[in-house]
Structure formats: C-alpha cells, structure tokens
C-alpha cells in the first residue's frame, strides 16, 4: 500500500518505519525539519519525503499523526482528502481544532473536518515507546483497538495495525470510539494493553451497543498496572 505519513514524530515516524519494513511504500511529511523527513525516508526501502499535500496525493492511506493543536495547520497543508482513507492517531490533548461537541467522539469531530475522506482511528491508545516494544517482539501477541465506520477504512486500519506487529481488533464505529479515546480512565481501554482474546471479548461487548458493559469488562481484563 502507498502510505502518506503526515506528522513524522514519535508516532508517525515509528509507524512509517514499521510499514516501510513491512513492504509498504511510505512518504513522510509535515516536519519543521526537512532533514528529519529525509532521514526517515532513508531508513526504509523506497522511502520518500515530501510536503503534506504530496504525501496525501501519493497515498492510498494517510497516517495522520500530528499534535492536536496542529491539526488546523496540517489540514490546510494537506489539501483535499476526497476518497482518501485517513488513519487518525491523534489524541485530544490541549487546545485544538474547535470544541468537540458533547456526545461526539474525537475521531468523529475530525471526520467532519475531512470531507470526502474515510477515517479510521488507530494507534492512539498506546504510547509510542510501547508500540516500538511490541513491534520488536513476536507479532500478534498484543491487541490494538481501532474504530472505523466504513469498510474501506476498516480494511486499511486492520492491515496497517497488523503490519506494525499488533493483533488488530475493531471496537466498532464512532459510537464505540469513545472507549478507545483519551483520557485514561475506568470504563475505557485507552492507555491499557490487552491480549487479543481479551480485546475481542471487549469489542464483542461494545458492538452490542452496551458501552457500560464493555467498559466494565475492559476494567476486569486490564492486564497490568502502568500506562502503556
Ligand atoms: N507520543 C505518544 O506516545 C502518542 C501515543 C498515541 C497517540 N499519540 C498522538 O499522536 C499524535 C502525534 O504525537 P507524537 O507524539 O508523534 O508527536 P511528536 O513526536 O511531537 O510529532 C509531531 C509531528 O508533527 C510535526 N509538526 C509540524 N508542525 C508542527 C507544529 N507547528 N507544532 C508541533 N509539531 C509540528 C512535528 O514536526 P517536527 O519534526 O518539526 O517536530 C512532528 O513531525 C498526537 O495527536 C498524539 O496525541 C501520541
């Protein structure tokens, strides 16, 4: 797959490297340091560096990995997203692109700002350091939750998450996405690591629509103390 990474920091840089090693074609973009983009591109076979707009134009799938406060600037540089799949890794920390309306998940808020794009939310629940550790270990031993409303985005998220060493587990669409979004809290999976079997049970509960029951199960099945 051709992947355009927008935001080449701890999350975007790491994911891009892993995807490149897995055989995907990756273009890195959106750093204030062009040398950093070139360095990341040089780290993977066929890696490229470009502007955010070039990365979007190049991509079948865009990995969106910028700080919440930088979303406006990133979207302005990215240009039209019609018919693109965007994998949103962002967490809503600090000031950002407008107030999230009550009842909306952060990814739905972002989706409304990316007309024509098919979004998935992934890679946001676990720290960049932990994601690197998992990628260095045996594949598929730790689950990564993602959310997607439409099949195209679902399939892309599933593929990219697996390419980064995780067992992909779809928690549901935008209604269920709240469970995987910040902050870390009881009744949610954000910041927690799960084995695939446990994650599948939580997702099955969430998909019934009973998010409280899914949250209770998520608390029961938490693996260990310590933020991931
Ligand atoms: N770090 C984590 O553990 C983690 C885990 C899950 C999700 N997330 C989420 O993933 C997203 C990216 O986080 P990150 O930790 O990868 O961030 P980061 O390391 O700070 O990287 C951010 C990227 O955006 C670029 N950027 C371009 N213009 C910028 C500007 N004006 N201000 C700040 N950055 C600018 C940075 O460029 P430069 O190269 O010039 O700095 C960098 O490439 C965030 O929404 C975060 O909440 C982070």
């Amino acid at each position: 797959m051709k992947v355009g990474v927008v935001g080449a920091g701890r999350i975007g840089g790491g994911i891009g490297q892993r995807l490149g090693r897995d055989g995907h074609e990756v273009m890195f973009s959106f750093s204030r340091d062009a040398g950093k983009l070139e360095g990341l591109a040089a780290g993977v076979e066929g890696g490229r560096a470009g502007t955010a707009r070039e990365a979007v134009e190049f991509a079948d799938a865009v990995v969106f990995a910028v700080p919440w406060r930088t979303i406006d600037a990133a979207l302005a540089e990215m240009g039209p997203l019609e018919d693109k799949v965007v994998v949103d890794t962002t967490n809503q920390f600090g000031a950002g692109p407008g107030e999230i309306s009550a009842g909306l998940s952060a990814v739905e808020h972002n989706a409304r700002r990316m007309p024509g794009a098919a979004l998935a939310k992934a890679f946001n629940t676990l720290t960049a350091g932990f994601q690197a550790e998992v990628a260095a270990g045996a594949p598929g031993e730790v689950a990564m939750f993602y959310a997607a409303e439409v099949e195209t985005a679902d399939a892309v998220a599933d593929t990219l998450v697996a390419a980064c060493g995780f067992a992909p587990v779809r928690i549901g669409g935008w209604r269920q996405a709240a469970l995987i979004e910040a902050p870390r809290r009881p009744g949610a999976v954000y910041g927690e690591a799960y084995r695939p079997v446990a994650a599948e049970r939580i997702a099955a509960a969430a998909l019934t629509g009973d998010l409280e029951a899914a949250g209770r199960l998520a608390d029961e099945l938490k693996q260990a103390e310590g933020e991931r």
Side-chain angles (χ1 to χ4, degrees), residues 9-228:
R10 286 164 290 188
I11 286 291
I15 292 170
Q17 294 290 298
R18 280 164 222 136
L19 295 179
R21 284 199 291 270
D22 197 61
H24 297 279
E25 293 177 65
V26 183
M27 183 184 287
F28 296 91
S29 74
F30 202 65
S31 167
R32 292 156 293 190
D33 174 359
K36 182 171 163 186
L37 297 177
E38 295 290 350
L40 284 166
V44 294
E45 202 174 319
R48 298 164 168 84
T51 65
R53 183 177 278 262
E54 286 166 346
V56 168
E57 286 169 356
F58 167 79
D60 302 316
V62 175
V63 173
F64 188 59
V66 305
W68 191 253
R69 67 177 182 284
T70 316
I71 287 180
D72 276 334
L75 289 179
E77 282 193 29
M78 288 159 73
L81 292 168
E82 198 72 38
D83 297 329
K84 296 289 176 183
V85 172
V86 176
V87 179
D88 180 4
T89 75
T90 65
N91 288 314
Q92 70 281 27
F93 292 123
E99 239 355 68
I100 301 177
S101 308
L104 279 199
S105 57
V107 63
E108 187 168 7
H109 174 79
N110 284 347
R112 290 181 181 196
R113 299 167 51 79
M114 301 187 196
L119 261 70
K121 177 116 179 191
F123 297 106
N124 68 299
T125 61
L126 300 164
T127 65
F130 184 63
Q131 292 188 38
E133 272 177 43
V134 170
E141 294 204 336
V142 180
M144 177 176 284
F145 289 105
Y146 68 91
E149 283 275 309
V150 296
E151 171 56 31
T152 45
D154 181 342
V156 165
D158 193 272
T159 298
L160 299 189
V161 165
C164 289
F166 287 89
V169 177
R170 179 175 176 269
I171 193 111
W174 294 169
R175 186 165 130 63
Q176 288 86 358
L179 289 172
I180 70 168
E181 291 186 338
R184 191 173 189 225
R185 63 199 186 279
V189 301
Y190 177 85
E192 312 291 345
Y194 294 90
R195 295 283 174 211
V197 170
E200 293 286 2
R201 285 181 59 195
I202 296 164
L207 285 165
T208 68
D210 187 344
L211 300 191
E212 283 186 17
R216 281 195 300 277
L217 189 58
D219 292 344
E220 277 168 32
L221 297 176
K222 270 173 198 169
Q223 271 196 312
E225 293 303 313
E227 187 154 11
R228 305 295 197 153

